[in-house]
Amino acid sequence: MPTTILIIEDEPAIQELLSVNLQHAGYQVHAAYSCHEAQQQIKQQMPDLILLDWMLPDQPGIQLAHALRRDTRTRDVPLIMLTARDTEQDKVDGLEAGADDYLTKPFSPRELLARIKSLLRRRAPQLAPDPVQAGPLTLDPSSRSVHLDEQAVSMGPSEFRLLHFFATHGQRVYTRTQLLDQIWGDHVFLEERTVDVHVRRLRKALSTVGQEHLIQTIRGTGYRFSTTHSS
Ligand code: CA
């Protein structure tokens, strides 16, 4: 089944440009020219991703973004905002309204495609459902839970993916770029320090059961999962 993208944009020329490029890239495209029209379409069919313009004739796109995030049905739909605005505050407003990404016009279709691909991969990471052993820890991808014996170790979804990746990829060293590609599906638009932040959170979670040593820093290279204590 092709991935469906709903484009909410009132400018016919831009709507056309986006449609042509996305169709060419293999996506099934639906067009809406106002927030109202978009909501009608979403009611009938949930798209896999939404491109949302900021300036629309009936209401600001950002208002629709808020509404989509409030609704449990559309809460998790990947959402990219398109806009001519490019001030820092607008960007913050867009992201706070629940947009996953933000693209300022004019943008290249190539960049848009790369961001769509990256967002889809981030939102739908491929995890095998089988439980995995990570040293003394048991990871259950279907419930995203981690246990040490009977004790649950609570962590965020990114930390879970990171630990799952390490646990299923042996005791070798991975660079931050490799980890961004493997776990977030993108090393182009995310910064390497993203990895450091999540490693820090993961270690903090693991420290609640005394297992923070499982993730080792290899100076100048990256990170490694190891069940043996480093010297
Ligand atoms: Ca517009």
Side-chain angles (χ1 to χ4, degrees):
M1 232 175 73
T3 302
T4 56
I5 298 182
L6 174 61
I7 306 171
I8 311 168
E9 163 67 78
D10 60 318
E11 197 73 51
I14 299 174
Q15 179 70 254
E16 175 75 17
L17 173 81
L18 291 169
S19 300
V20 167
N21 277 284
L22 294 178
Q23 279 167 357
H24 188 71
Y27 297 108
Q28 192 179 323
V29 176
H30 300 282
Y33 293 84
S34 68
C35 291
H36 177 73
E37 202 187 334
Q39 277 167 318
Q40 295 304 112
Q41 289 203 24
I42 293 167
K43 251 182 225 161
Q44 286 168 16
Q45 194 197 351
M46 262 297 282
D48 295 309
L49 185 143
I50 294 175
L51 296 180
L52 174 59
D53 187 31
W54 189 295
M55 305 284 272
L56 289 159
D58 52 350
Q59 52 168 267
I62 195 166
Q63 215 168 307
L64 178 61
H66 275 295
L68 292 173
R69 289 305 182 234
R70 272 197 307 268
D71 186 337
T72 49
R73 187 168 162 259
T74 51
R75 193 169 53 199
D76 296 322
V77 65
L79 175 65
I80 299 178
M81 287 209 69
L82 307 173
T83 174
R85 296 158 170 250
D86 63 352
T87 68
E88 191 67 18
Q89 188 53 46
D90 287 339
K91 199 166 170 168
V92 169
D93 288 347
L95 294 173
E96 277 181 353
D100 296 292
D101 204 349
Y102 189 102
L103 217 52
T104 306
K105 295 175 190 171
F107 49 81
S108 76
R110 228 179 122 194
E111 182 179 9
L112 176 68
L113 287 173
R115 284 180 185 251
I116 287 173
K117 219 167 137 187
S118 144
L119 178 56
L120 287 171
R121 284 178 67 180
R122 270 197 330 259
R123 277 307 182 92
Q126 301 302 315
L127 289 187
D130 312 321
V132 167
Q133 205 64 32
L137 305 171
T138 306
L139 281 65
D140 182 358
S142 58
S143 59
R144 296 207 164 197
S145 61
V146 179
H147 283 84
L148 177 74
D149 301 323
E150 298 296 295
Q151 197 179 348
V153 187
S154 119
M155 63 182 67
S158 293
E159 288 71 42
F160 182 87
R161 262 153 51 204
L162 192 55
L163 182 60
H164 185 272
F165 176 80
F166 277 128
T168 50
H169 287 78
Q171 313 222 346
R172 51 171 281 211
V173 182
Y174 288 92
T175 65
R176 290 169 177 80
T177 304
Q178 284 173 325
L179 292 171
L180 282 176
D181 264 340
Q182 295 287 336
I183 296 155
W184 285 270
D186 179 358
H187 73 264
V188 181
F189 298 109
L190 291 172
E191 294 175 38
E192 295 201 341
R193 65 166 182 244
T194 305
V195 176
D196 301 328
V197 169
H198 290 288
V199 164
R200 201 153 56 231
R201 287 187 198 158
L202 175 57
R203 280 194 181 127
K204 201 173 162 205
L206 294 178
S207 72
T208 61
V209 288
Q211 297 297 323
E212 65 276 18
H213 59 271
L214 289 174
I215 309 297
Q216 298 176 352
T217 304
I218 308 301
R219 198 172 277 278
T221 312
Y223 295 102
R224 175 175 67 181
F225 176 80
S226 179
T227 49
T228 53
H229 282 263
S230 57
S231 52

